[in-house]
mmCIF file of all heavy atoms in Angstrom:
data_model
loop_
_atom_site.group_PDB
_atom_site.id
_atom_site.type_symbol
_atom_site.label_atom_id
_atom_site.label_comp_id
_atom_site.label_asym_id
_atom_site.label_seq_id
_atom_site.Cartn_x
_atom_site.Cartn_y
_atom_site.Cartn_z
ATOM 1 N N SER R 195 12.049 2.878 6.443
ATOM 2 C CA SER R 195 12.729 2.186 7.534
ATOM 3 C C SER R 195 12.448 0.687 7.455
ATOM 4 O O SER R 195 11.596 0.247 6.694
ATOM 5 C CB SER R 195 12.249 2.752 8.870
ATOM 6 O OG SER R 195 10.874 2.485 9.052
ATOM 7 N N PRO R 196 13.159 -0.112 8.252
ATOM 8 C CA PRO R 196 12.896 -1.560 8.263
ATOM 9 C C PRO R 196 11.468 -1.869 8.713
ATOM 10 O O PRO R 196 10.792 -1.025 9.290
ATOM 11 C CB PRO R 196 13.908 -2.097 9.282
ATOM 12 C CG PRO R 196 14.947 -1.055 9.417
ATOM 13 C CD PRO R 196 14.280 0.246 9.120
ATOM 14 N N LEU R 197 11.053 -3.092 8.467
ATOM 15 C CA LEU R 197 9.726 -3.543 8.881
ATOM 16 C C LEU R 197 9.573 -3.314 10.386
ATOM 17 O O LEU R 197 10.357 -3.826 11.182
ATOM 18 C CB LEU R 197 9.564 -5.036 8.559
ATOM 19 C CG LEU R 197 8.222 -5.658 8.875
ATOM 20 C CD1 LEU R 197 7.146 -5.108 7.946
ATOM 21 C CD2 LEU R 197 8.278 -7.156 8.751
ATOM 22 N N PRO R 198 8.592 -2.504 10.799
ATOM 23 C CA PRO R 198 8.448 -2.209 12.231
ATOM 24 C C PRO R 198 7.837 -3.366 13.018
ATOM 25 O O PRO R 198 7.180 -4.245 12.460
ATOM 26 C CB PRO R 198 7.509 -0.992 12.238
ATOM 27 C CG PRO R 198 6.780 -1.055 10.956
ATOM 28 C CD PRO R 198 7.662 -1.759 9.972
ATOM 29 N N ARG R 199 8.060 -3.322 14.313
ATOM 30 C CA ARG R 199 7.578 -4.393 15.187
ATOM 31 C C ARG R 199 6.053 -4.519 15.128
ATOM 32 O O ARG R 199 5.514 -5.613 15.105
ATOM 33 C CB ARG R 199 8.045 -4.141 16.623
ATOM 34 C CG ARG R 199 7.668 -5.257 17.554
ATOM 35 C CD ARG R 199 8.183 -5.033 18.961
ATOM 36 N NE ARG R 199 8.050 -6.268 19.706
ATOM 37 C CZ ARG R 199 8.982 -6.780 20.471
ATOM 38 N NH1 ARG R 199 10.115 -6.146 20.617
ATOM 39 N NH2 ARG R 199 8.775 -7.903 21.104
ATOM 40 N N TRP R 200 5.341 -3.383 15.111
ATOM 41 C CA TRP R 200 3.875 -3.427 15.091
ATOM 42 C C TRP R 200 3.356 -4.145 13.849
ATOM 43 O O TRP R 200 2.344 -4.827 13.919
ATOM 44 C CB TRP R 200 3.261 -2.029 15.221
ATOM 45 C CG TRP R 200 3.611 -1.067 14.115
ATOM 46 C CD1 TRP R 200 4.586 -0.106 14.137
ATOM 47 C CD2 TRP R 200 2.992 -0.971 12.821
ATOM 48 N NE1 TRP R 200 4.613 0.574 12.946
ATOM 49 C CE2 TRP R 200 3.643 0.070 12.120
ATOM 50 C CE3 TRP R 200 1.968 -1.647 12.187
ATOM 51 C CZ2 TRP R 200 3.286 0.440 10.828
ATOM 52 C CZ3 TRP R 200 1.616 -1.277 10.898
ATOM 53 C CH2 TRP R 200 2.269 -0.237 10.231
ATOM 54 N N ALA R 201 4.038 -3.980 12.720
ATOM 55 C CA ALA R 201 3.592 -4.638 11.483
ATOM 56 C C ALA R 201 3.854 -6.136 11.550
ATOM 57 O O ALA R 201 3.048 -6.938 11.088
ATOM 58 C CB ALA R 201 4.297 -4.030 10.281
ATOM 59 N N CYS R 202 4.966 -6.510 12.152
ATOM 60 C CA CYS R 202 5.291 -7.929 12.305
ATOM 61 C C CYS R 202 4.281 -8.598 13.233
ATOM 62 O O CYS R 202 3.778 -9.672 12.937
ATOM 63 C CB CYS R 202 6.709 -8.078 12.841
ATOM 64 S SG CYS R 202 7.233 -9.782 13.067
ATOM 65 N N GLU R 203 3.969 -7.947 14.339
ATOM 66 C CA GLU R 203 3.027 -8.525 15.296
ATOM 67 C C GLU R 203 1.606 -8.568 14.737
ATOM 68 O O GLU R 203 0.834 -9.450 15.080
ATOM 69 C CB GLU R 203 3.072 -7.746 16.606
ATOM 70 C CG GLU R 203 4.382 -7.958 17.347
ATOM 71 C CD GLU R 203 4.550 -7.052 18.551
ATOM 72 O OE1 GLU R 203 3.750 -6.113 18.734
ATOM 73 O OE2 GLU R 203 5.513 -7.274 19.307
ATOM 74 N N ALA R 204 1.260 -7.625 13.875
ATOM 75 C CA ALA R 204 -0.085 -7.600 13.274
ATOM 76 C C ALA R 204 -0.243 -8.685 12.204
ATOM 77 O O ALA R 204 -1.362 -9.074 11.889
ATOM 78 C CB ALA R 204 -0.361 -6.231 12.671
ATOM 79 N N ALA R 205 0.861 -9.167 11.657
ATOM 80 C CA ALA R 205 0.817 -10.208 10.623
ATOM 81 C C ALA R 205 0.754 -11.567 11.292
ATOM 82 O O ALA R 205 1.716 -12.329 11.277
ATOM 83 C CB ALA R 205 2.039 -10.094 9.719
ATOM 84 N N SER R 206 -0.352 -11.880 11.872
ATOM 85 C CA SER R 206 -0.497 -13.084 12.671
ATOM 86 C C SER R 206 -0.074 -14.335 11.910
ATOM 87 O O SER R 206 -0.621 -14.668 10.878
ATOM 88 C CB SER R 206 -1.936 -13.233 13.155
ATOM 89 O OG SER R 206 -2.800 -13.249 12.040
ATOM 90 N N GLY R 207 0.939 -14.995 12.451
ATOM 91 C CA GLY R 207 1.413 -16.244 11.880
ATOM 92 C C GLY R 207 2.412 -16.114 10.745
ATOM 93 O O GLY R 207 3.023 -17.092 10.355
#
Side-chain angles (χ1 to χ4, degrees):
S195 64
L197 182 69
R199 184 178 193 134
W200 61 262
C202 180
E203 291 172 350
S206 57

